[in-house]
């Protein structure tokens, strides 16, 4: 194939810099045509090619006896025992959700579910990690309502329970909300499928919805700054169809389980091109596909549209040689559009024909090996100054009870029930621990005693003020949340949401965050099995760029050997002694309290000791498994006082604790500081000695805090040494905690 | 002041996938209506406005664009008719 | 009791229904695909499960109600065979004319997934014999269109004939007369919005739904 | 064979509460459209039929009654227009 005219002046329209265009020409040995340039631009975009992030990823630990499938496939897979595996992955749909929240979020769910069943796993849980701007603004209401409607519309209809997630509010997300969706699927080891073209002679089968012009250029779109201009020339919105996805899911799983499939992948970002060229690359082979055979929804579609359309609910299947007929018959039964569009060949080219002519002829490797950039990262002096800020002048409020009530009514801390009640969280009848009941969701595995636990976590304020510690803390919190339900943490998936990596301040955050995740995963023995990157989450306000708080969301999966041995956060009937595992907080830096009450986003993120974290997790698990506690909760935003209040509200009973305020420590730090590596448990009265022996034996620091008060309706916290006491009725706490999201959601 | 009855017709833009329409079309085919094609499902919003015609028209146009339809995905048109008091 | 769980392409509580029935009532319960024209010989109970049976974009249950298997289900009901429709299954039964009324969007337009309290209003039916009249059950709901509507005469008749079998203690969706479940005149067809199949194992929080299956165990096809 | 373009309008019966309409009305009032009342939200289903007029009309009537609307709660009417081939 030859093409001589240079497209260099238009490089940007293909999503390429001129340097990248020159690199393409030199690797190709000729000028590309426009289709080829667009295909390369899409494949080298951050979304598909990870050009700015991949070089950092080598730091991640990715192996371990529990890892059945590490990064590089549609989803990671961990072994949970008894021949079962769990496939899981998280993905962002931030930009589409900012433009059209309902469909943006809905197609986010659809996309991640396809990644899961492409592994041969039956999706069995979804979690959604959401970030929005100012809770009082009409835009936030519009986005939150739309996103929740989209997730519930798609997840409820397809029948996969949405069992957990997070919702936080911060002004940095005002224009760039984050919608990260995690899905889990269950599979038998022998059904594990791969995204490969297999061997020479294999057929390439397109199955699912017809191709339309929707979402065109989505891959490029999601890698560009959102500006006023791009608001105007919005690409067509992608609309999801959960009913079609359900058919595709059932058909794909049936085909994989019948042994008819040599390779499978969904069409996600950059549509047909990215799925087929990744599958070819994994097989180390070339392919030829005939674009005339692509089923279309609209008249007159041209190759660029056929190649890059992001129409939803489409997959590529490669039949086992000799069983093509059986596969096509099976797919037809599900009334899906099914067409053989190409073949695997003994060369290294990615070839497309249209109307009898070759319209694209590129090396498979060139498409899959995007240039890698290592940039210079420099911490923003502004942020450093905020971190180093002296907080000793911050006054201690007189009425700390009122502060507690205030914090409970902050939308980031308040009850998320108005959201998760809109999600079917029980369909499939596996949900043992429902949203709101504990720090992680727990699902049983039918036909075994085991349970699977999942959580998603990130405290963006920590990451903003200290990206290394903040990101490591997200991993630690996720692992701790799993321990709080009685699950052994196994592995993570991450979703790195950042601003523009070309800005040194942002690149610094990205690099530090990746290093923090890597170190925490190594220390806690939870390897990284996959992830997703969403960059350019920033908005131009005049000349000024407003980037989101760096948000590396961590999705973690764990296993309960016996699902009946577990814990939740509510205080249980009967008198219990409350213990804190770990150490009291000693500072108010980087806390929600400091921001909400004092209007300051500043200070040092509490130090994270990963060795201590490991011991607290071990201690929590040991207590739960020894039957010494069925209550566990870790303090996060709002600190110890908020965590205690949440336990009392959930249990419908009061408590009384006495906290020793060490010399030189502020009382508000002990109450509301956000030190890591802490878990509150409740040991039935009479079993204290056994619990203390167990913790002592494991070297877990602990302190007895006080007791639950089954008959009482007050939460009382005495600070000894500081001569401070706060006592608030459950009713007041509950009202403050339940109202905010009902109001926002309307 | 006069009253007007308005009908606003909101339809998905032609290039946007219409899962509802697709499902209805398939279902109709299953029920033996094989000669039916191009099914699209949209909205019909009826409302009453009080005011003088020119203002009411301008208001309806704005409402349609800003609230009753989502211009990213939908086309909308409307009819206005004076209502006997 | 020989049970057939009907599967529409968009059913999503089908596996849950089969699991619950096998656990409580019929270890050999089987799925029946919506394109079948006949129920398996000897079928005593037909379970229409929840979900979004046929995409359900137009109206819940509208299209499923006209699928081939529904003709067989109608004939089965006509012979006095038992039919249990849950959630979307209830919507299918009203659309198919096996039960009166219709289910429209929840009053607040939102989907609700939550445990709710139901009062057993009639413990004399084949589906409720194991309960006490007035007993309050905790059974989850999960629906966006569960707002029961029928014209005033129909409602009056349902009430007069004791055909309102379950009533919400706290109406979550705007249903007339807090109706959560009704039977047909003959008492062999029950439609209800709450999901008893999600409430048959203590591990999942409630076993209050078991009574429906246990009642059927003792019941004989009329 | 001739082609017909049909529009089917499905609206809730007047006696039935329309929560969607009420929500839209409230939203409009919030935005200052205080002179708007009686908002009702219905469906507009568009489709194409092939056949001769009398058959197509009968078919459309049946489809509307049996599938496209639920006579317990909804009223429906339709328009049919021959489509230039
Ligand atoms: N978007 C959401 N979707 C589903 N469940 C959610 C969502 N947000 C929060 N939840 C649930 O609400 C509960 C409290 O969440 P959160 O306050 O984030 O807890 P934590 O601080 O312990 O991580 C958890 O069970 C969580 O899974
Ligand atoms: Mg937690």
């Amino acid at each position: 194939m030859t093409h001589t005219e240079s497209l260099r002046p238009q490089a940007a329209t293909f999503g390429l810099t001129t340097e990248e265009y020159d690199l393409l020409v030199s690797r190709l040995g000729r000028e590309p045509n426009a289709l080829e340039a667009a295909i390369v631009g899409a494949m080298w975009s951050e979304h598909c090619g990870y050009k700015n992030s991949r070089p950092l990823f080598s730091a991640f630990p990715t192996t371990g006896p529990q890892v059945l499938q590490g990064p590089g496939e549609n989803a990671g897979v961990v072994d949970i025992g008894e021949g079962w595996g769990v496939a899981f992955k998280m993905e962002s749909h931030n930009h589409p959700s900012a433009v059209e929240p309902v469909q943006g979020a809905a197609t986010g769910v659809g996309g991640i579910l396809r990644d899961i069943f492409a592994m041969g796993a039956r999706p069995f849980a979804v979690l959604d990690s959401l970030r929005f701007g100012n809770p009082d603004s009409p835009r936030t209401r519009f986005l939150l309502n739309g996103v929740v409607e989209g997730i519930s519309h798609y997840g409820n209809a397809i029948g996969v329970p949405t069992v957990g997630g997070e919702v936080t509010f911060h002004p940095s997300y005002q224009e760039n909300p984050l919608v990260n969706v995690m899905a889990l699927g269950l599979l038998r080891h022998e059904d594990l499928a791969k995204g490969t073209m297999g061997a020479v002679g294999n057929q390439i089968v397109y199955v699912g919805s017809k191709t339309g012009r929707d979402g065109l250029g989505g891959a490029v779109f999601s890698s560009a700054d959102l500006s006023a201009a791009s608001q105007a020339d919005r690409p067509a919105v992608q609309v999801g169809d959960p009913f079609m996805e359900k058919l595709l899911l059932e058909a794909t799983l049936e085909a994989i389980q019948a042994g008819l499939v040599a390779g499978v992948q969904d069409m996600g970002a950059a549509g047909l091109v990215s799925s087929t060229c990744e599958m070819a690359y994994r097989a180390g082979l070339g392919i030829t596909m005939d674009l005339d055979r692509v089923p279309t929804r609209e008249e007159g579609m041209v190759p660029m549209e056929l190649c890059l359309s992001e129409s939803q609910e489409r997959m590529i299947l490669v039949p086992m040689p000799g069983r093509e007929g059986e596969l096509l018959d099976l797919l037809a039964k599900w009334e899906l559009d099914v067409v053989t569009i190409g073949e695997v060949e003994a060369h290294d080219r990615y070839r497309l024909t249209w109307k009898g002519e070759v319209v694209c002829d590129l090396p498979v490797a060139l498409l899959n090996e995007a240039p890698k950039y290592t940039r210079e990262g420099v911490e923003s002096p502004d942020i450093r100054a905020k971190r180093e800020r002296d907080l000793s002048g911050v006054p201690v409020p007189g009425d700390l009870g009122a502060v507690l009530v205030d914090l409970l009514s902050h939308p980031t801390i308040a009850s998320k029930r108005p959201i998760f009640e809109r999600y079917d969280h029980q369909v499939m009848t596996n949900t043992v621990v429902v949203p709101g009941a504990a720090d992680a969701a727990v699902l049983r595995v039918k036909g075994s005693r085991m349970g699977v636990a999942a959580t998603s976590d990130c405290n963006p304020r920590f990451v903003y003020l200290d990206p290394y510690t903040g990101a490591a803390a997200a991993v630690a919190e996720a692992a701790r949340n799993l321990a709080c339900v009685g699950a052994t943490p196994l592995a993570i998936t991450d979703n790195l949401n950042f601003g523009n990596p070309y800005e040194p301040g942002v690149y610094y955050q990205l690099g530090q965050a990746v290093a923090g995740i890597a170190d925490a995963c190594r220390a806690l023995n939870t390897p990284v099995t996959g992830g997703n990157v969403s960059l350019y989450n920033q908005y131009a306000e005049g000349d000024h760029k407003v980037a989101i708080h760096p948000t590396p969301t961590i999705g973690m999966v764990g296993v309960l050997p016996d699902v009946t041995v577990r814990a939740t956060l509510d205080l249980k009937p009967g008198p219990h002694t409350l213990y804190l595992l770990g150490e009291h907080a000693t500072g108010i830096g980087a806390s929600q309290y400091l921001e909400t009450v004092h209007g300051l986003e500043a200070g040092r993120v509490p130090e994270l000791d990963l060795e201590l974290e490991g011991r607290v997790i071990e201690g929590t698990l040991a207590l739960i498994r020894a039957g010494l506690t069925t209550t566990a909760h870790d303090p996060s935003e709002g600190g110890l006082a908020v965590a205690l209040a949440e336990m009392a509200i959930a249990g419908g009973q009061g408590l009384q604790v006495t906290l020793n305020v060490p010399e030189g420590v502020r009382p508000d730090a002990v109450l509301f500081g956000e030190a890591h590596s802490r878990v509150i448990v409740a040991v039935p009265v009479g079993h204290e000695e056994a619990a203390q022996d167990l913790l002592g034996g494991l070297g877990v620091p602990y302190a007895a805090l006080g007791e639950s008060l089954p008959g009482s309706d007050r939460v009382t916290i005495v600070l000894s040494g500081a001569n401070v006491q706060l006592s608030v009725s459950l009713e007041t706490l509950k009202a403050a905690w339940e109202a905010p999201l009902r109001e926002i959601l309307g | 002041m006069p009253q007007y009855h308005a009908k606003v017709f909101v339809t998905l833009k032609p290039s946007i996938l219409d899962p509802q329409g697709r499902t209805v079309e398939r279902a109709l085919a299953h029920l033996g209506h094989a000669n039916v094609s191009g099914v699209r499902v949209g909205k019909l919003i009826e409302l009453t406005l009080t005011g003088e015609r020119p203002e009411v028209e301008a208001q309806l146009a704005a409402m349609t664009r800003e609230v009753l339809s989502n211009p990213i995905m939908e086309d909308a048109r409307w009819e206005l008719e004076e209502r006997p008091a | 009791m020989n049970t057939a769980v009907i599967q529409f392409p968009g059913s999503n509580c089908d596996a849950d229904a089969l699991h619950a029935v096998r656990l409580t009532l019929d270890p050999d319960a089987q799925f029946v695909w919506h394109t079948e024209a006949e129920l398996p010989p000897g079928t005593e109970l037909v379970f229409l499960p929840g979900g979004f049976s046929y995409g359900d974009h137009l109206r819940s249950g509208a299209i499923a109600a006209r699928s081939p298997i529904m003709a067989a289900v109608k004939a089965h009901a006509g012979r006095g065979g038992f039919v249990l429709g849950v959630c979307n299954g209830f919507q299918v039964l009203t659309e198919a004319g096996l039960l009166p009324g219709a289910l429209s969007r929840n009053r607040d337009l939102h989907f609700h997934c939550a445990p709710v309290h139901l009062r057993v209003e009639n413990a004399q039916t084949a589906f409720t014999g194991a309960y006490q009249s007035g007993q309050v059950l905790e059974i989850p709901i999960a629906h966006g269109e569960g707002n029961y509507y029928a014209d005033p005469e129909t409602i009056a008749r349902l009430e007069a004939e004791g055909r309102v079998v379950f009533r919400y203690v706290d109406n979550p969706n705007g249903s007339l007369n807090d109706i959560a479940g009704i039977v047909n005149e003959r008492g062999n067809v029950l439609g209800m919005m709450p999901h008893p199949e999600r409430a048959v194992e203590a591990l999942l929080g409630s076993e209050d739904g078991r009574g429906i299956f246990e009642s059927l165990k003792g019941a004989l096809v009329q």
Side-chain angles (χ1 to χ4, degrees), chain A, chain B, chain C:
Chain A
M1 206 173 132
T2 56
H3 185 82
T4 45
E5 185 202 346
S6 173
L7 301 168
R8 193 172 193 272
Q10 294 112 274
T13 61
F14 302 113
L16 296 168
T17 62
T18 43
E19 294 76 39
E20 284 166 350
Y21 185 87
D22 295 341
L23 179 68
L24 165 60
V25 172
S26 83
R27 283 210 205 156
L28 192 56
R30 64 171 167 84
E31 292 286 338
N33 65 29
L35 175 63
E36 291 171 329
I39 287 176
V40 171
M43 289 304 296
W44 286 7
S45 70
E46 195 64 41
H47 208 90
C48 296
Y50 296 98
K51 55 193 169 194
N52 290 296
S53 43
R54 181 158 285 159
L56 300 168
F57 293 168
S58 55
F60 285 149
T62 57
T63 54
Q66 71 271 48
V67 178
L68 282 182
Q69 176 65 60
E73 279 285 344
N74 291 307
V77 183
V78 283
D79 181 13
I80 58 165
E82 299 178 20
W84 290 104
V86 170
F88 70 109
K89 172 122 190 273
M90 193 186 296
E91 205 156 272
S92 62
H93 242 214
N94 304 335
H95 296 276
S97 303
V99 174
E100 213 300 298
V102 178
Q103 291 301 334
T107 52
V109 175
I112 193 65
L113 291 176
R114 283 193 293 286
D115 278 332
I116 299 302
F117 66 78
M119 299 304 295
R122 175 168 288 276
F124 82 132
V126 165
L127 292 88
D128 59 329
S129 173
L130 313 177
R131 321 268 165 198
F132 299 96
N134 176 1
D136 301 324
S137 85
R139 175 167 168 82
T140 296
R141 279 164 200 258
F142 165 74
L143 290 173
L144 176 59
N145 267 294
V147 164
V148 170
E149 185 186 330
I151 291 169
S152 75
H153 160 68
Y154 207 101
N156 297 354
I158 196 166
V160 179
T162 301
V163 298
E166 355 164 44
V167 188
T168 64
F169 298 85
H170 185 276
S172 74
Y173 305 107
Q174 185 67 19
E175 296 300 331
N176 291 273
L178 300 186
V179 176
N180 293 177
V181 186
M182 173 177 173
L184 283 73
L186 202 57
L187 78 165
R188 298 296 302 168
H189 288 187
E190 61 272 19
D191 290 331
L192 180 59
K194 305 244 169 169
T196 176
M197 286 292 177
V200 174
N202 284 352
Q203 306 284 299
I204 303 169
V205 173
Y206 170 117
V207 53
S209 290
K210 291 181 170 41
T211 297
R213 293 194 173 93
D214 38 0
L216 205 53
V220 178
F221 168 55
S222 67
S223 302
D225 287 14
L226 264 186
S227 67
S230 84
Q231 295 271 357
D233 93 307
R234 283 163 187 145
V237 172
Q238 307 157 50
V239 172
D241 182 355
F243 180 62
M244 178 59 82
E245 177 113 328
K246 169 83 170 157
L247 303 181
L248 202 52
L249 180 163
E250 297 296 344
T252 304
L253 291 179
E254 194 177 326
I256 290 170
Q257 281 159 15
L260 302 179
V261 177
V264 48
Q265 179 147 335
D266 74 299
M267 291 188 227
L272 178 64
V273 159
S274 94
S275 56
T276 50
C277 85
E278 284 175 18
M279 293 173 82
Y281 188 61
R282 292 195 194 102
L285 291 167
I287 60 171
T288 299
M289 296 194 301
D290 182 359
L291 294 175
D292 295 307
R293 297 202 208 156
V294 173
T296 56
R297 207 172 72 220
E298 297 175 63
E299 304 277 306
M301 290 184 66
V302 299
M304 190 122 34
E305 295 167 334
L306 297 168
C307 287
L308 299 175
S309 158
E310 294 188 352
S311 289
Q312 299 290 298
E313 290 94 22
R314 302 179 302 159
M315 311 276 288
I316 292 292
L317 294 184
V318 177
M320 279 293 182
R323 307 195 65 181
E324 293 84 359
E326 279 172 84
L327 179 68
L328 296 186
D329 287 348
L330 186 155
L331 298 172
K333 172 189 133 191
W334 289 96
E335 300 184 38
L336 297 160
D337 271 302
V338 185
V339 194
T340 301
I341 55 168
E343 201 174 298
V344 185
E345 294 167 350
H347 52 71
D348 66 352
R349 315 294 291 183
Y350 186 78
R351 258 182 215 141
L352 302 173
T353 60
W354 188 58
K355 302 205 158 142
E357 279 182 37
V358 175
V359 289
C360 166
D361 187 355
L362 296 168
V364 168
L366 179 151
L367 285 168
N368 285 279
E369 291 165 8
K372 293 189 182 114
Y373 303 121
T374 308
R375 306 193 175 279
E376 184 83 21
V378 181
E379 183 172 35
S380 142
D382 282 1
I383 299 176
R384 185 180 319 130
K386 285 185 189 171
R387 183 176 58 241
E388 302 303 338
R389 183 173 170 135
D390 176 12
L391 301 175
S392 59
V394 174
V396 178
D399 187 348
L400 291 166
V403 170
L404 174 57
V405 173
D406 246 21
L407 285 172
L408 284 168
S409 68
H410 189 283
T412 292
I413 293 176
S415 170
K416 306 302 183 303
R417 182 171 301 281
I419 292 174
F420 61 68
E421 260 187 14
R422 292 196 196 174
Y423 303 146
D424 190 338
H425 47 256
Q426 290 176 310
V427 64
M428 298 183 91
T429 56
N430 295 321
T431 314
V432 172
V433 174
V434 297
D439 289 316
V442 177
L443 300 129
R444 58 124 168 234
V445 178
K446 285 194 183 104
S448 99
R449 282 191 80 73
M450 294 184 298
V452 172
T455 181
S456 72
D457 291 283
C458 180
N459 180 330
R461 189 179 315 102
F462 285 176
V463 188
Y464 173 71
L465 288 167
D466 181 346
Y468 176 88
T469 307
V475 175
E477 181 178 356
R480 196 185 320 130
N481 281 340
L482 294 182
C484 283
V485 295
T488 306
L490 290 177
I492 76 154
T493 180
D494 64 74
N495 203 328
L496 305 176
N497 308 273
F498 286 78
N500 182 347
Y502 289 74
E503 288 176 18
V506 170
Y507 192 77
Y508 170 84
Q509 293 172 330
L510 183 60
Q512 290 288 302
V514 167
I517 292 170
D519 286 349
C521 285
R522 214 167 270 116
L524 299 173
N525 190 24
T526 53
V528 180
T529 63
N532 179 248
V533 176
S534 170
L535 303 180
Y536 307 95
N537 290 288
Q538 60 184 31
Y539 178 76
E541 227 177 46
D543 301 344
H544 185 62
K545 298 263 172 148
V546 186
I548 59 161
H549 267 13
T551 314
T553 313
I554 303 299
M556 194 181 282
V557 168
V559 65
L560 295 86
D562 180 346
V563 73
T564 63
V565 179
R566 61 176 191 274
T568 48
L569 65 79
D570 53 314
L571 294 177
K572 307 297 184 298
H576 287 73
T577 300
L578 303 175
Y579 284 91
L580 176 72
L581 279 53
E583 318 268 7
H584 274 306
T586 54
I588 56 173
S591 66
Q592 182 76 49
Y593 158 72
L594 188 59
E595 181 180 309
T596 304
V597 176
H598 300 284
L600 280 179
E601 193 168 37
R604 289 180 174 277
V605 174
E607 209 167 300
L608 175 64
D609 175 350
L610 288 166
E611 198 270 329
L612 171 65
E613 184 70 57
R615 268 184 290 146
V616 167
I617 287 172
E618 201 186 343
T620 306
L621 285 174
L623 287 178
I624 294 171
R625 289 178 183 169
L628 290 168
T629 187
T630 54
T631 295
H633 186 32
D634 73 318
S636 52
E637 283 96 341
L640 188 65
V642 162
L644 287 167
E646 288 169 341
M647 296 168 78
I649 294 169
Q653 56 175 289
L655 58 82
Q656 168 145 13
V657 299
T658 302
L659 311 178
N660 296 311
V661 180
E663 263 299 303
V665 174
R666 311 164 51 117
D668 52 354
V670 174
L671 288 169
F672 308 120
E674 294 179 10
H676 321 282
S677 317
R678 297 182 297 165
V679 173
I680 305 166
V681 297
V683 175
V685 166
H687 293 78
E688 289 87 348
E689 205 170 321
Q692 293 182 13
D693 286 351
L694 206 161
L695 293 173
L698 292 170
V700 182
Y702 66 86
L705 300 177
E707 58 268 353
S708 67
L709 300 174
S712 152
D713 68 343
R714 293 196 83 76
V715 168
T716 302
I717 304 178
V718 179
L719 295 174
S720 73
N723 196 19
V724 176
Q725 167 172 339
L726 58 100
S727 181
V728 189
S729 78
L730 266 187
E731 202 186 331
T732 305
L733 297 170
K734 197 166 174 227
W737 182 70
E738 284 181 345
L741 284 170
R742 288 228 184 274
E743 275 162 27
I744 298 173
L745 280 154
Chain B
M1 251 197 288
Q3 281 212 326
Y4 292 89
H5 183 76
K7 285 187 184 166
V8 182
F9 305 93
V10 181
T11 50
L12 279 172
K13 282 191 202 295
S15 66
I16 300 266
L17 176 71
D18 177 9
Q20 294 202 56
R22 186 160 71 176
T23 310
V24 173
E25 185 165 324
R26 265 183 195 242
L28 289 171
H30 272 288
L31 296 171
H33 300 287
N35 61 333
V36 175
S37 62
V39 181
R40 309 279 291 173
V41 180
K43 272 185 280 193
L44 159 61
I45 303 160
E46 298 178 277
L47 44 91
T48 302
L49 295 122
T50 317
E52 299 304 334
R53 181 143 207 144
E55 286 80 36
V56 162
E57 285 196 350
Q59 185 188 0
L60 188 57
M63 262 168 30
T64 299
R65 199 174 47 241
E66 287 157 23
V67 183
L68 303 179
S69 72
N70 175 354
I72 299 175
M73 320 175 52
E74 292 167 333
D75 294 325
R77 54 178 206 83
W78 45 265
E79 290 167 5
L80 197 66
E81 203 173 87
E82 184 158 0
R83 205 176 179 151
Chain C
M1 172 163 286
N2 286 326
T3 303
V5 175
I6 309 296
Q7 267 187 313
F8 300 100
S11 295
N12 63 31
C13 302
D14 45 345
D16 305 356
L18 193 76
H19 176 78
V21 170
R22 284 187 175 169
L23 209 63
T24 56
L25 185 60
D26 173 15
D28 303 317
Q30 292 299 331
F31 283 133
V32 175
W33 192 238
H34 67 118
T35 54
E36 297 289 324
E38 299 288 342
L39 292 166
T43 298
E44 293 164 284
L45 170 66
V46 171
F47 193 144
L48 293 165
F52 291 72
S53 47
Y54 215 100
D56 276 3
H57 296 292
L58 186 63
R59 244 178 16 258
S60 298
I63 291 160
R66 281 133 192 113
S67 64
I69 195 66
M70 283 309 293
V73 174
K74 282 183 192 169
H76 168 80
R79 288 190 298 268
F82 294 119
V83 181
L84 170 60
V86 167
C87 198
N88 187 230
F90 185 10
Q91 294 158 346
V92 172
L93 288 173
T94 58
E95 284 282 345
L98 283 168
L99 289 173
L103 294 142
S104 65
R105 279 183 80 172
N106 293 351
R107 175 174 50 188
D108 66 0
L109 303 175
H110 299 314
F111 189 97
H112 286 255
C113 175
V116 299
H117 290 121
L118 299 182
R119 195 173 321 106
V120 180
E121 295 287 5
N122 180 349
Q124 310 295 314
T125 76
F127 299 92
T128 52
Y131 296 119
Q132 305 293 314
S133 204
Q135 189 177 341
V136 173
L137 314 175
E138 185 183 296
I139 295 186
I141 54 165
H143 61 249
E145 299 189 9
N147 183 346
Y148 184 78
Y149 171 83
D151 58 56
E153 301 81 70
T154 306
I155 295 279
R157 242 187 98 192
L158 288 173
E159 294 287 0
E161 293 171 2
R163 286 164 57 194
V164 175
V165 174
F166 297 114
R167 216 187 291 277
Y168 298 112
V169 173
D170 259 321
N171 191 336
N173 55 26
S175 286
L176 288 179
N177 289 27
D178 305 324
I179 288 173
I182 56 171
V183 285
N184 63 346
E185 246 178 289
R186 193 165 171 180
N188 61 321
V189 177
L190 169 68
M192 63 189 292
M193 288 313 296
H195 286 271
E197 82 282 6
R198 296 186 183 185
V200 297
E201 294 170 271
L203 183 63
L204 303 183
S206 168
E207 291 186 287
D208 288 357
R210 267 183 180 264
I212 291 180
F213 304 102
E214 269 150 22
S215 305
L216 282 166
K217 224 185 247 173
L220 292 174
V221 175
Q222 302 140 338

